[in-house]
Amino acid sequence: MKIAILSPIAWRTPPRLYGPWEQVASNIAEGLVAKGLDVTLFATGDSVTGGKLEYTCEKPYGENSAVDVKVEECLHISHLFERAGEFDIIHNHYDFLPLTYSKLVKTPVLTTIHGFSSPLIVPVYKKYNSNSHYVSISNSNRHPELNYMATVYNGINSAEFSFVEKAKDYLLFFGRIHPEKGTREAIEVAKRCGRKLIIAGLVQDADYFNKHILPFIDDKHVVYVGNCGPAQRNELLGKAAALLHLISFEEPFGLSVAEAMCCGTPVIAFDRGSMPELIQHEQTGFVVKDEEEAVASVAQLSTINRAACREWAVKMFSKEKMTNAYLNLYEQILKA
Amino acid sequence: MKIAILSPIAWRTPPRLYGPWEQVASNIAEGLVAKGLDVTLFATGDSVTGGKLEYTCEKPYGENSAVDVKVEECLHISHLFERAGEFDIIHNHYDFLPLTYSKLVKTPVLTTIHGFSSPLIVPVYKKYNSNSHYVSISNSNRHPELNYMATVYNGINSAEFSFVEKAKDYLLFFGRIHPEKGTREAIEVAKRCGRKLIIAGLVQDADYFNKHILPFIDDKHVVYVGNCGPAQRNELLGKAAALLHLISFEEPFGLSVAEAMCCGTPVIAFDRGSMPELIQHEQTGFVVKDEEEAVASVAQLSTINRAACREWAVKMFSKEKMTNAYLNLYEQILKA
């Protein structure tokens, strides 16, 4: 089976630092390569894959403000679709734009919907609803007007996340610094518990960072360590007493939640989006309704068995499980 | 011959007020309809054509800030390309994005390049250089690295522009209020000549308008009449002593320049872009190098024969001439 994986080009595949869609596209590509499949990854020119790499865009546009994003993306997408005949299946991780090329080629296109950035993009998914193949990354993220083949949870490379039996005392925020990710709420909860908070992630909303986060950073109780790559991520996630994931939006998945548990670290999350699917309440973390409950959960952390967190993550969110699920879907599509 | 015309959707086709690309697409579509050809216009849902209208986008996105432009444009463009097989030729007025769909269909695509909004978009034109058909709207606008089939000057509907033999005294600025269009320079030249200036056009750069234009508007010497539709445009252009077109960019064409001359009104323009191709110096206006020369030209206006302006515009920039030129190109492409 010849498989084309269309990755975004905002970041390298796999990302050096932030880049969840690129990370998942990479995990699928490398998972398929490991199974001996013929994989061509369409990504940025600096990407790394065990399969074949195809690119039109040398460097990620997230690292280069001198490019026109629309130009970069239409050249990238059309490069794949113009070669569609060489592949048995196209696996799209590039949101809605590739769908509008999909009816012009014979090769079937499976689209992993990584989330809806706005309700305004739904009309494109609706247009291609009947002749495309959609996969949701959590049951919670399904749009009621779309048809889905399956939900396939994002899978992570468990070899990149070391199990830590005995954690340190600090709480961790790991993700984009943005109001919807709850950085401010994490600071508040840590303060109320008298615990140290480490913050790691890309500053996506500079105003929010300057107004609501920066004033609390004292390098002692609240520490900001920047946007982290894989090694530092493994270290920070593994040694945390808990990951605080106090989101205020319907998050489709949340890679850091799976990654934390993979290290044995429980997650305290607000009950939004996919959180109840990702976390086993009182087993691998706490799914809570407000800061009050989050503070109470920190006091309960000793009741969590860190080995159970690891076991759950490996069972539910492994790269291998995800790869097998997608391979099964490709086969279903090709049989039909 | 079955012809699909792909118009932009920023504005209605033809535009109610501003919208030069939509205006030209409309003039071609209606010119072809008048010749009895089978024309399908892909434009906004409120567009008006004597041919068949196809649309996905009800209202222009220029009039509706609640839409996602990327969504609207990819649905619009793919709607045409998914029906490409119904047409003998596709005539693209929608810039570079449609090119990236063009290799996926068998129907040839002719693209009128209405200008390069940035050097960053040139790579798309270069990619499709060898298997597409490009038309420039002036010789001056040709990019040295692209192949062109022809230059076809934009054509206007001379019935919409009445010849005025004896003009009034005022000078006219007609176009987008933007630094590159020279609104401020027009005020300066009018002041130095002691002449009244009427300004008409869409405020595209609000900062510029507020800082450099608004302070001079006194409803006596400098009058701003807003963004005008066809009737007011005809009136304003026809009765002007001259159009001041003191641009500071390489303008690919300049519809108002042709329209003014079509009313018999000479144009005083800076020597940039297509101006020397559009204006016969000292015959239908003055192509000048600075404000000094522009002021001197105002004193020379009595030497211009307004009937000669009309004659030149009708000869060079008529809808019929443009339509015949494009029809000839369609035929060349279909024969090849």
Side-chain angles (χ1 to χ4, degrees):
Chain A
M1 193 187 306
K2 291 191 162 195
I3 303 159
I5 305 280
L6 182 63
S7 191
I9 51 173
W11 309 108
R12 191 188 76 169
T13 300
R16 289 189 174 81
L17 305 167
Y18 175 79
W21 298 20
E22 289 85 352
Q23 183 66 66
V24 172
S26 173
N27 290 353
I28 293 167
E30 304 321 305
L32 293 165
V33 168
K35 292 179 83 78
L37 286 141
D38 184 334
V39 176
T40 306
L41 175 69
F42 289 76
T44 55
D46 58 352
S47 292
V48 179
T49 178
K52 295 167 219 157
L53 178 66
E54 275 291 333
Y55 65 93
T56 54
C57 174
E58 291 268 357
K59 299 275 173 203
Y61 66 72
E63 296 169 10
N64 185 2
S65 60
V67 299
D68 182 315
V69 171
K70 187 174 159 186
V71 164
E72 297 302 321
E73 63 185 10
C74 73
L75 287 177
H76 174 61
I77 293 166
S78 62
H79 181 56
L80 189 159
F81 279 93
E82 286 163 6
R83 296 184 46 186
E86 300 173 31
F87 304 104
D88 297 306
I89 189 133
I90 295 167
H91 188 165
N92 167 33
H93 294 272
Y94 207 107
D95 212 349
F96 64 86
L97 190 53
L99 293 172
T100 68
Y101 297 73
S102 65
K103 277 182 97 166
L104 307 176
V105 302
K106 286 183 188 139
T107 310
V109 178
L110 180 150
T111 297
T112 296
I113 304 180
H114 286 272
F116 299 96
S117 55
S118 150
L120 294 173
I121 74 171
V122 174
V124 188
Y125 289 103
K126 283 170 73 175
K127 177 178 171 189
Y128 295 93
N129 198 23
S130 59
N131 72 312
S132 204
H133 307 282
Y134 298 148
V135 169
S136 47
I137 58 171
S138 63
N139 296 324
S140 72
N141 196 239
R142 289 196 170 197
H143 191 283
E145 293 177 77
L146 300 181
N147 301 325
Y148 294 87
M149 274 195 90
T151 288
V152 178
Y153 290 129
N154 287 336
I156 61 178
N157 182 356
S158 55
E160 287 183 12
F161 301 93
S162 323
F163 176 61
V164 176
E165 201 171 339
K166 193 146 172 48
K168 295 195 174 177
D169 243 9
Y170 68 87
L171 302 173
L172 178 67
F173 172 92
F174 196 100
R176 296 176 285 125
I177 317 288
H178 187 283
E180 65 184 17
K181 283 288 202 168
T183 328
R184 192 187 59 67
E185 288 81 355
I187 293 172
E188 184 60 27
V189 166
K191 264 172 61 186
R192 287 171 64 179
C193 300
R195 301 278 277 243
K196 177 179 174 179
L197 180 74
I198 297 181
I199 299 172
L202 172 78
V203 176
Q204 198 178 49
D205 183 331
D207 270 1
Y208 173 71
F209 180 75
N210 291 330
K211 245 186 237 166
H212 297 291
I213 310 306
L214 199 54
F216 295 98
I217 294 174
D218 60 5
D219 294 335
K220 193 179 161 197
H221 303 94
V222 179
V223 179
Y224 176 57
V225 296
N227 192 3
C228 301
Q232 202 181 355
R233 177 180 64 190
N234 182 34
E235 175 94 9
L236 285 168
L237 287 171
K239 293 186 176 160
L243 179 76
L244 296 183
H245 205 73
L246 308 177
I247 52 174
S248 58
F249 76 119
E250 309 308 325
E251 190 166 31
F253 190 83
L255 270 182
S256 62
V257 172
E259 292 166 351
M261 294 186 297
C262 194
C263 295
T265 301
V267 181
I268 299 171
F270 280 162
D271 188 5
R272 298 292 293 268
S274 59
M275 292 306 116
E277 292 175 69
L278 300 198
I279 302 162
Q280 286 182 295
H281 183 58
E282 297 180 341
Q283 304 277 331
T284 69
F286 300 90
V287 180
V288 300
K289 71 171 196 297
D290 55 22
E291 289 182 19
E292 197 67 36
E293 285 191 11
V295 169
S297 300
V298 173
Q300 303 285 315
L301 282 173
S302 62
T303 66
I304 301 287
N305 175 356
R306 291 181 63 100
C309 296
R310 167 80 176 186
E311 199 182 321
W312 166 253
V314 169
K315 179 178 143 210
M316 295 296 289
F317 311 116
S318 74
K319 190 175 84 168
E320 292 73 20
K321 185 182 177 188
M322 171 177 69
T323 303
N324 288 335
Y326 277 116
L327 194 51
N328 183 267
L329 296 176
Y330 301 161
E331 281 163 359
Q332 277 182 49
I333 292 168
L334 295 185
K335 253 185 234 154
Chain B
M1 194 189 303
K2 292 192 159 193
I3 303 159
I5 305 278
L6 182 63
S7 192
I9 51 173
W11 310 107
R12 190 186 78 168
T13 300
R16 289 188 174 83
L17 305 167
Y18 175 79
W21 297 21
E22 290 84 352
Q23 183 67 65
V24 172
S26 173
N27 290 354
I28 293 167
E30 303 321 304
L32 292 166
V33 169
K35 292 178 83 79
L37 286 141
D38 184 334
V39 176
T40 305
L41 176 68
F42 289 75
T44 56
D46 59 351
S47 292
V48 179
T49 178
K52 294 167 219 158
L53 178 65
E54 275 293 331
Y55 64 94
T56 53
C57 173
E58 290 270 356
K59 299 276 172 203
Y61 66 71
E63 296 169 11
N64 185 2
S65 59
V67 299
D68 182 315
V69 171
K70 188 174 158 186
V71 164
E72 297 301 321
E73 62 184 12
C74 73
L75 287 177
H76 174 61
I77 293 167
S78 62
H79 181 55
L80 188 159
F81 279 92
E82 286 163 7
R83 296 183 47 184
E86 300 173 29
F87 305 104
D88 297 305
I89 190 136
I90 294 167
H91 189 164
N92 167 33
H93 294 272
Y94 208 108
D95 214 347
F96 64 85
L97 190 53
L99 292 173
T100 67
Y101 297 74
S102 66
K103 276 182 96 166
L104 307 176
V105 302
K106 286 183 189 139
T107 310
V109 178
L110 180 150
T111 296
T112 296
I113 304 180
H114 287 271
F116 299 95
S117 56
S118 149
L120 294 173
I121 73 172
V122 175
V124 188
Y125 289 103
K126 281 170 75 174
K127 176 179 171 189
Y128 295 94
N129 199 23
S130 59
N131 73 313
S132 203
H133 308 281
Y134 297 147
V135 169
S136 47
I137 59 172
S138 64
N139 296 324
S140 73
N141 196 238
R142 290 197 169 197
H143 192 284
E145 293 178 76
L146 301 181
N147 302 325
Y148 294 87
M149 273 195 92
T151 287
V152 178
Y153 290 128
N154 287 335
I156 60 177
N157 182 355
S158 56
E160 285 182 13
F161 301 93
S162 322
F163 176 61
V164 176
E165 200 171 340
K166 192 145 172 48
K168 295 195 174 177
D169 244 9
Y170 67 87
L171 302 173
L172 179 67
F173 172 92
F174 196 100
R176 296 177 285 124
I177 318 287
H178 187 281
E180 65 184 15
K181 284 287 204 170
T183 326
R184 191 187 59 69
E185 288 80 355
I187 293 172
E188 183 61 26
V189 166
K191 266 173 58 187
R192 287 170 65 179
C193 299
R195 301 278 277 243
K196 176 180 173 178
L197 179 75
I198 298 181
I199 298 172
L202 172 79
V203 176
Q204 199 179 48
D205 184 330
D207 268 2
Y208 173 72
F209 181 75
N210 292 330
K211 245 186 236 167
H212 296 291
I213 311 304
L214 200 55
F216 295 97
I217 294 173
D218 59 5
D219 294 334
K220 196 179 158 195
H221 303 95
V222 180
V223 179
Y224 176 58
V225 297
N227 192 3
C228 300
Q232 201 182 355
R233 179 181 61 189
N234 183 32
E235 176 93 10
L236 285 168
L237 287 172
K239 293 186 175 161
L243 180 75
L244 297 184
H245 205 74
L246 309 177
I247 51 175
S248 58
F249 75 119
E250 309 307 326
E251 190 166 32
F253 190 82
L255 270 182
S256 62
V257 173
E259 291 166 351
M261 293 186 297
C262 193
C263 295
T265 299
V267 181
I268 299 171
F270 280 162
D271 188 4
R272 298 290 294 268
S274 59
M275 292 305 116
E277 291 175 69
L278 300 198
I279 302 161
Q280 286 183 294
H281 183 59
E282 297 181 339
Q283 305 276 331
T284 70
F286 300 91
V287 180
V288 301
K289 70 171 197 297
D290 54 21
E291 289 182 20
E292 196 68 34
E293 284 191 11
V295 170
S297 300
V298 173
Q300 304 284 315
L301 282 172
S302 62
T303 66
I304 301 288
N305 175 358
R306 290 182 63 99
C309 296
R310 167 81 176 184
E311 200 182 321
W312 166 253
V314 169
K315 180 179 144 209
M316 294 295 289
F317 311 117
S318 74
K319 189 174 85 169
E320 292 73 22
K321 186 182 176 187
M322 171 177 69
T323 303
N324 288 335
Y326 277 116
L327 194 51
N328 183 267
L329 295 176
Y330 302 162
E331 282 162 358
Q332 277 183 48
I333 291 168
L334 296 185
K335 253 184 234 155

